[in-house]
Amino acid sequence: NGYEFRPFVVNRDEAAYCHIRNIAFANLAGSETPITPKMVSDMTKAPDYIEGGVLLLYHCEEPIGILRCSSDEWEDQPVMNIGPLALIPEYQGRGLGRILLRKALQFTKDYGYDRAYLSVNGENERAKSLYLSEGFQQVEGVACNVYKLPSK
């Protein structure tokens, strides 16, 4: 009770989108850098943007989750790109991520795609487990490395 999906509204929801994404990914290596409302606004003008493909999950009028579906290609075939899919930490572990993911898969089907893909941080074991349990298969793996140059 009290949960509701709402479509993202351009020029209104950018700050809520950033708030959720930045809190949810604050401790994930490679995703710690906050995004800005300008970055979200630019996202809505990109060629891969799908009207209605960005949703916010609310609980009692408070935005707590985001979901983005965008048009892409993989192996020269059209595919729905799911991500980010994020919940603020207080709401994680309640099955809401699964609901977000299933909403994305339904959007994928409704929009006429027969395939979807997503990327997940390799250290995010809970997310990886969720995606595998919902039928996703790992097809690629990427390792990101950093080298810090000594200061003079």
Side-chain angles (χ1 to χ4, degrees):
N1 283 338
Y3 292 95
E4 174 187 16
F5 280 104
R6 296 183 191 167
F8 177 88
V9 177
V10 175
N11 296 323
R12 185 190 74 191
D13 292 332
E14 289 81 358
Y17 185 104
C18 290
H19 174 74
I20 296 163
R21 185 264 178 214
N22 291 341
I23 289 175
F25 293 169
N27 296 317
L28 286 177
S31 299
E32 319 86 328
T33 303
I35 63 169
T36 65
K38 166 105 170 63
M39 294 164 78
V40 177
S41 178
D42 290 346
M43 170 193 79
T44 67
K45 297 173 184 123
D48 64 347
Y49 181 75
I50 300 173
E51 188 70 35
V54 180
L55 297 174
L56 285 89
L57 179 62
Y58 281 77
H59 181 243
C60 298
E61 298 301 317
E62 182 72 26
I64 62 155
I66 56 171
L67 167 62
R68 178 177 182 226
C69 296
S70 57
S71 180
D72 209 342
E73 283 190 7
W74 188 63
E75 295 182 339
D76 298 321
Q77 297 292 315
V79 63
M80 186 67 72
N81 180 356
I82 300 171
L85 185 153
L87 287 162
I88 59 174
E90 304 89 81
Y91 287 87
Q92 295 173 5
R94 300 182 186 189
L96 297 170
R98 186 174 309 276
I99 291 169
L100 284 168
L101 181 59
R102 288 180 178 173
K103 187 79 165 173
L105 293 173
Q106 186 61 53
F107 181 83
T108 299
K109 183 179 178 183
D110 291 348
Y111 209 77
Y113 285 81
D114 62 2
R115 298 188 314 162
Y117 81 92
L118 51 77
S119 297
V120 62
N121 182 301
E123 296 174 356
N124 193 342
E125 294 296 332
R126 284 173 57 186
K128 288 189 327 185
S129 176
L130 167 64
Y131 303 144
L132 292 172
S133 75
E134 288 293 315
F136 281 83
Q137 298 173 343
Q138 182 174 332
V139 294
E140 291 182 282
V142 177
C144 298
N145 301 284
V146 65
Y147 179 85
K148 294 188 180 190
L149 295 170
S151 57
K152 293 184 180 186

